[in-house]
Amino acid sequence: MTAPRAARPPTTPRTFTEALAAVTAAVRPEELFTGDPADAARRYRRLARLLHPDTAPSDRRAEAGAAFVALGRLWEQHHRSGSEHELRTARHTYRLGPVTAHGDIAVLRAATTEHDDPVLLKIPRSPADNDLLEREATALTRLARHGDRRFHAYVPTLVESFEHESATDPTDRPRRINVLRRTAGVRPLTDVLLAHPDGLDPRDAAWMWRRLLVALGHAHRAGVRHGAVLPEHVLIHPAEHGLVLVDWCYATTGSPAAAPALVERHRARYPPEVPARRPVTEATDIHLAARCIEELMGPKAPKPLRAFVAGCTLPAEPRRPHDAWRLLAELDDLLHTLYGPRTFRPFHLPATT
């Protein structure tokens, strides 16, 4: 009687098609990740590079996006099966929960402190992006120290930032992890876009625009430019009409400087100074914010609001508005002319599946 053959380790995909097939067929993490921790981590990074929507073939980005998310879930399952469920720092002990979101450069993992305070751990996929996590920590620290306390709820609260060595890949460099206080009930503008494909009533878009300008005015007064005001980075609380501007990894502080990076799939959204590597200014953020609201309203935007957006998105950076607070006052005047005195309009989003 012959002994059963040992299972062969999965082959390493070399092309997008091979990577897509491997992830699509996988049900359990061990179908993708076997061998020692270093081999598993290298395999994950290779699959992630091949499947990232920014590098996938242009006609297959939807497939790539779905596979990329599935890969992240399988990697998280593999990581949890072989690693500790607590992470200790000098300040806190974090009980680790599931991954809640997959961003362009990092994953967000739910956790609670030793006092049961809910937090999110923002963990870069690659140590090469540690500098972007450090930028976020610098920006949020500056906002906490120098920003107007009345508007602190418009940006995330940084609990701490630290370096952590991987338990699953001892050959990997330490990663910078940012711990953020968790905000319940918020949804990204991408959910609003999905729920209103034919355009959002401008009266509903108005409160989102106003609060986004407050978030930017707050940041700019403290000497911080966000640099990536994109729909997935703008979180709203539908019932309470709240807003939080997240992902400050692309921020610049102090004197204006070029953005450290841009989100490639959103390249067309950026004003000319960003891809040209010219300094990001307050006008850059205002341009990006106006594009978000323009997309929300779609064809429902009346002509005066379209003209207002056009003035915020002029190609020449010096000709655009730079003062978010002054722009907010001008927007309020225009909204009053169009719709009369402000009234509270209940806003609901369908639950995500």
Side-chain angles (χ1 to χ4, degrees):
M1 182 176 179
T2 59
R5 276 188 306 187
R8 295 177 60 187
T11 58
T12 300
R14 299 181 180 277
T15 66
F16 167 79
T17 301
E18 291 176 355
L20 184 66
V23 173
T24 302
V27 176
R28 300 180 303 277
E30 56 266 29
E31 295 174 55
L32 290 178
F33 311 116
T34 59
D36 64 56
D39 286 340
R42 280 193 290 269
R43 182 174 174 81
Y44 166 73
R45 289 196 294 270
R46 181 172 187 84
L47 287 165
R49 284 195 299 271
L50 290 169
L51 292 173
H52 197 286
D54 287 349
T55 60
S58 59
D59 60 338
R60 306 192 70 179
R61 283 179 180 160
E63 293 176 274
F68 190 76
V69 170
L71 173 66
R73 289 174 181 154
L74 289 166
W75 176 246
E76 171 59 20
Q77 292 171 21
H78 171 77
H79 181 78
R80 279 189 295 176
S81 67
S83 66
E84 59 192 2
H85 290 274
E86 286 190 347
L87 194 157
R88 297 176 184 271
T89 72
R91 295 179 58 185
H92 292 289
T93 297
Y94 299 103
R95 294 187 294 274
L96 304 180
V99 169
T100 61
H102 296 266
D104 291 280
I105 62 170
V107 296
L108 290 175
R109 186 167 184 176
T112 54
T113 69
E114 68 276 16
H115 303 299
D116 290 327
D117 296 324
V119 295
L120 290 171
L121 271 58
K122 189 169 184 176
I123 308 168
R125 289 195 177 91
S126 168
D129 290 323
N130 280 352
D131 62 316
L132 297 179
L133 274 292
E134 290 169 6
R135 278 180 176 268
E136 177 172 70
T138 297
L140 294 179
T141 299
R142 186 180 182 111
L143 288 170
R145 291 176 179 172
H146 303 293
D148 189 323
R149 295 186 63 85
R150 292 176 297 171
F151 307 117
H152 280 185
Y154 285 82
V155 299
T157 298
L158 180 71
V159 176
E160 66 171 316
S161 182
F162 60 91
E163 285 196 342
H164 177 65
E165 292 187 1
S166 172
T168 60
D169 187 357
T171 67
D172 214 356
R173 291 193 291 118
R175 298 178 193 232
R176 169 66 55 178
I177 296 178
N178 290 345
V179 183
L180 308 170
R181 189 167 295 158
R182 206 184 316 171
T183 303
V186 290
R187 305 274 294 276
L189 287 191
T190 48
D191 282 1
V192 182
L193 288 166
L194 288 173
H196 297 270
D198 297 325
L200 181 66
D201 190 312
R203 292 170 295 176
D204 293 318
W207 67 259
M208 301 176 197
W209 200 351
R210 294 189 73 260
R211 281 152 182 73
L212 187 50
L213 288 175
V214 170
L216 293 178
H218 163 59
H220 296 165
R221 288 279 173 88
V224 183
R225 276 81 52 189
H226 186 276
V229 185
L230 303 168
E232 58 264 41
H233 298 162
V234 181
L235 309 183
I236 62 163
H237 195 296
E240 298 180 5
H241 285 200
L243 181 143
V244 185
L245 182 57
V246 302
D247 202 343
W248 294 77
C249 290
Y250 307 90
T252 56
T253 57
S255 299
L262 57 74
V263 181
E264 187 60 38
R265 71 177 183 279
H266 287 308
R267 177 177 286 269
R269 286 181 177 271
Y270 287 91
E273 63 268 20
V274 177
R277 302 289 298 156
R278 296 195 296 270
V280 168
T281 71
E282 293 77 8
T284 308
D285 283 347
I286 287 172
H287 171 110
L288 290 165
R291 287 291 187 218
C292 287
I293 304 302
E294 178 184 40
E295 185 174 2
L296 282 182
M297 295 186 294
K300 293 186 177 180
K303 186 174 180 180
L305 281 179
R306 292 200 300 269
F308 196 89
V309 168
C312 295
T313 56
L314 294 168
E317 183 273 336
R319 296 183 60 199
R320 280 183 241 132
H322 286 67
D323 188 328
W325 292 115
R326 180 180 299 176
L327 187 65
L328 175 59
E330 294 174 5
L331 177 61
D332 281 345
D333 289 342
L334 177 56
L335 292 171
H336 187 276
T337 299
L338 289 171
Y339 303 113
R342 286 207 307 269
T343 58
F344 184 86
R345 286 173 53 86
F347 184 73
H348 304 283
L349 274 180
T352 55
T353 57

